[in-house]
Amino acid sequence: MKISHIEHLGIAVKSIEEALPYYENVLGLKCYNIEEVADQKVKTAFLKVGEVKIELLEATSPDSTIAKYLENGGRGIHHIAFAIEDGVANALAECDEKGIRLIDSAPRKGAEGLQIAFLHPKSTCGILTELCEK
Ligand code: ZN
């Protein structure tokens, strides 16, 4: 697979409303989009740092993976997302062939209209890994 850059860092927060003042007023970043991704049961807020985005993730339901992550003591960086130049479907096939555990066996629609798929942290040195394609 060909990774062009880090597309975004996903950061789990209890509340986007409570987290945004830190990112905007202290770090001086600007939130340019807030979007709910219904099938993932999350609300997302995006900020840009150069070409890389920060995706704040807030659970919209107690059974959201973000709610469970926070409940289990998780905080801060939740996943890293790579922009794949030659397609997520390609990358998934390659990962599967190399014995990587896939969370998504096919690309699906994520925030900002991207095609996304996740790799299981058990196969990725502990970091939940998202593959993205425009
Ligand atoms: Zn993400």
Side-chain angles (χ1 to χ4, degrees), residues 63-85:
D63 63 341
S64 156
T65 54
I66 295 301
K68 286 177 194 153
Y69 179 77
L70 292 172
E71 213 170 273
N72 293 330
R75 255 189 105 84
I77 294 186
H78 174 259
H79 64 269
I80 183 167
F82 294 113
I84 309 294
E85 258 177 26

Side-chain angles (χ1 to χ4, degrees), residues 24 33 35 39 76 98 101 108-109 112 114:
E24 295 198 305
N33 185 25
E35 183 182 340
D39 71 332
K98 290 179 174 168
R101 194 162 144 194
R108 61 188 163 94
K109 214 181 147 210
E112 301 204 299
L114 297 175

Side-chain angles (χ1 to χ4, degrees), residues 93-109:
E94 186 184 329
C95 287
D96 190 37
E97 203 180 284
K98 290 179 174 168
I100 300 294
R101 194 162 144 194
L102 312 178
I103 292 176
D104 301 298
S105 54
R108 61 188 163 94
K109 214 181 147 210

Side-chain angles (χ1 to χ4, degrees), residues 7-8 81-84 88 114-117 130-134:
E7 217 283 332
H8 63 268
F82 294 113
I84 309 294
V88 171
L114 297 175
Q115 289 293 309
I116 64 158
E130 179 179 357
L131 310 174
C132 301
E133 171 187 9
K134 263 194 193 142

Side-chain angles (χ1 to χ4, degrees), residues 4-58:
S4 59
H5 60 283
I6 292 175
E7 217 283 332
H8 63 268
L9 296 172
I11 297 178
V13 297
K14 262 202 172 133
S15 153
I16 284 174
E17 199 189 337
E18 281 172 25
L20 268 185
Y22 165 68
Y23 287 94
E24 295 198 305
N25 303 336
V26 179
L27 298 184
L29 303 173
K30 181 114 188 70
C31 173
Y32 66 91
N33 185 25
I34 291 184
E35 183 182 340
E36 199 171 320
V37 184
D39 71 332
Q40 287 177 63
K41 296 174 183 164
V42 292
K43 189 163 104 177
T44 61
F46 284 93
L47 306 101
K48 253 189 184 161
V49 189
E51 194 180 1
V52 179
K53 299 167 195 163
I54 286 176
E55 174 188 45
L56 302 178
L57 297 151
E58 176 189 318

